[in-house]
Amino acid sequence: MRKNIIAGNWKMNTTLPEGLALAKGLEEALKGKTPKCDVIIGVPATHLASIATAIDSSRIGIAAQNCADKEKGAFTGETSAAMIASTGAKYVILGHSERRQYYHETAQTLKTKVNLAISNGLTPIFCIGEVLEERESGRHFAVVDEQVKESLFELSAEDFSKLVIAYEPVWAIGTGKTATADEAQEIHAHIRKTIAGKYGQEIAENCTILYGGSMNAENAKSLVAKPDVDGGLIGGASLSVEKFLPIIESF
Ligand code: PGA
C-alpha cells in the first residue's frame, strides 16, 4: 500500500538545542492526534542521535540529509549510511538539488549512495526535479525520467519498492513559487508511468511520490488532494511547528 508522508527538510538550520526543541515541540503538538500520514523530519547529521533518543521515532521518523558514497574508511568528514542507521534514523534524503548543484553530486554518485542506504536498512527519499530553463523548454518530463533511470533503475524490484521519491522542481525550492496542483499531478503521474514501464503497475502504484518546493499550509491541501501526490518534502515551513503542523493535517 502506498504511504502518505509529510517530511521536513531542515537543511543546515538549527543548533543542537534548537533542533531538539523543534523536534520535541512537534512531538508535543502531535500528542493525541492521529495524522493521516507518516511524519518525518530531516535533521542535520549532528542532531540525529540526540533527536532519536529524545523523541519517539515510531511517531516521527528521523532522516539524515545525505550520506557518504563509500562504505567506511579514510574519508575525512564523511558520514556513512551505517553510521546514520546506528543513530536510530530510518531515512536519508538523497539527491537534493542543493547537493546536486553545490556539491556536484552526479547520477552515478547518487546511485552508489542509494545502494549503500538500502543495504544499511535506510529508506532513501530520492529527490528529482528540473530547473526553470528545462521546464520552460518543455524538457521537464525527460529530465526527471533521466534522473530516475540513471540512479535507480538498476535496483532490483524488491529494493526499488523500499524507496520514496520526491519531485522537487528546482525553480520552486525556497522561492515562494510552487507548481500548481495540476502541474504537480501531471508530472507525478508521468513519473509513476515511467516506473510502471520498468517495474510494472503494482510497484508503481505502491511507490510514494512526494512534492517539494515552497509547500506550505495554504497550498498543501490542494497538492495532496491530487491522486498521484502522496505528500510533501518541506523545507522552510518545517522549521516551525506552527507552519509544519497544518501541512501534516492537510490530508
Ligand atoms: P522549501 O524547500 O519548502 O523551502 O521550498 C523544499 C526542499 O528543498 O526540500
Side-chain angles (χ1 to χ4, degrees):
M1 252 289 283
R2 198 193 300 177
K3 270 190 185 163
N4 291 327
I5 297 175
I6 293 294
N9 175 11
W10 293 1
K11 309 191 180 185
M12 197 172 72
N13 292 296
T14 72
T15 61
L16 179 56
E18 288 165 353
L20 273 169
L22 180 55
K24 284 187 197 161
L26 180 63
E27 181 174 57
E28 195 54 43
L30 287 172
K31 275 218 172 96
K33 295 194 155 86
T34 338
K36 295 196 186 76
C37 60
D38 287 3
V39 179
I40 298 170
I41 48 178
V43 310
T46 46
H47 302 14
L48 289 168
S50 309
I51 291 180
T53 311
I55 65 171
D56 177 358
S57 57
S58 69
R59 302 245 318 144
I60 303 175
I62 299 167
Q65 301 171 12
N66 180 31
C67 74
D69 62 341
K70 303 285 191 298
E71 202 157 339
K72 66 173 181 174
F75 302 100
T76 303
E78 289 294 297
T79 307
S80 72
M83 291 170 185
I84 291 165
S86 74
T87 66
K90 295 278 185 286
Y91 302 85
V92 58
I93 299 169
L94 290 174
H96 192 281
S97 64
E98 287 151 17
R99 300 228 40 105
R100 292 179 192 257
Q101 191 183 340
Y102 306 141
Y103 302 97
H104 315 293
E105 294 194 354
T106 64
Q108 274 318 104
T109 316
L110 290 171
K111 185 166 127 185
T112 309
K113 291 187 178 196
V114 166
N115 292 339
L116 282 165
I118 292 176
S119 63
N120 283 284
L122 294 171
T123 298
I125 301 174
F126 189 76
C127 305
I128 56 176
E130 80 285 357
V131 298
L132 186 60
E133 188 195 344
E134 291 162 340
R135 161 99 18 192
E136 284 174 342
S137 61
R139 291 192 54 238
H140 46 297
F141 295 115
V143 169
V144 295
D145 281 353
E146 210 171 288
Q147 289 170 332
V148 163
K149 283 179 188 162
E150 285 184 354
S151 297
L152 305 179
F153 275 12
E154 279 173 37
L155 290 170
S156 67
E158 192 192 342
D159 282 346
F160 185 88
S161 308
K162 293 175 184 161
L163 57 84
V164 170
I165 290 180
Y167 167 69
E168 299 202 300
V170 181
W171 47 271
I173 296 176
T175 57
K177 214 171 146 183
T178 20
T180 63
D182 286 337
E183 282 171 337
Q185 168 57 27
E186 181 187 38
I187 195 155
H188 280 227
H190 173 87
I191 296 162
R192 205 177 296 287
K193 207 169 132 210
T194 300
I195 296 168
K198 167 76 183 170
Y199 291 104
Q201 201 59 37
E202 191 183 339
I203 286 179
E205 278 304 319
N206 286 333
C207 180
T208 295
I209 307 178
L210 309 179
Y211 169 80
S214 298
M215 196 161 166
N216 57 37
E218 284 73 52
N219 57 35
K221 246 196 175 74
S222 63
L223 284 161
V224 304
K226 294 293 178 185
D228 287 296
V229 179
D230 308 314
L233 180 57
I234 291 98
S238 71
L239 289 170
S240 87
V241 175
E242 300 73 58
K243 288 183 179 163
F244 195 47
L245 189 63
I247 302 177
I248 295 168
E249 290 177 327
S250 65
F251 281 101

